Amino acid sequence: MTYSGRIQNGAVVLDEPLQVPDGTEVRVEVVTGDAVPPTEEGPSFSERYAEIAGAAKTLPETAAEDHDHLLYGRLKR
């Protein structure tokens, strides 16, 4: 089946309602030359945050496990 529509505020809006269950896999094909070509990949996560990695020297050793308690005061598990 083929349905037509437009991009509106970053979402696909179809010209006619589509009756398919949630979770149905679809494929979107751009039919005009207006699509922005993909850009080159930027720096990796570790490259972006390398300058602050390890900056928190005074955290307790259990900070990863107890982050909800440390940030929000929730009970420890």
Side-chain angles (χ1 to χ4, degrees):
M1 294 182 210
T2 302
Y3 296 90
S4 297
R6 305 272 182 276
I7 300 295
Q8 188 174 47
N9 295 322
V12 176
V13 178
L14 299 176
D15 293 339
E16 299 176 18
L18 180 59
Q19 300 293 324
V20 295
D22 285 347
T24 300
E25 189 172 321
V26 298
R27 179 177 296 137
V28 175
E29 178 182 350
V30 177
V31 294
T32 65
D34 296 338
V36 177
T39 59
E40 292 183 23
E41 287 188 31
S44 68
F45 181 86
S46 59
E47 290 169 338
R48 284 183 292 195
Y49 298 103
E51 65 185 48
I52 60 171
K57 304 287 185 198
T58 60
L59 290 175
E61 291 182 18
T62 60
E65 296 171 19
D66 298 335
H67 68 277
D68 279 349
H69 171 70
L70 295 168
L71 294 172
Y72 311 114
R74 294 183 180 151
L75 295 175
K76 292 183 182 182
R77 293 184 180 184

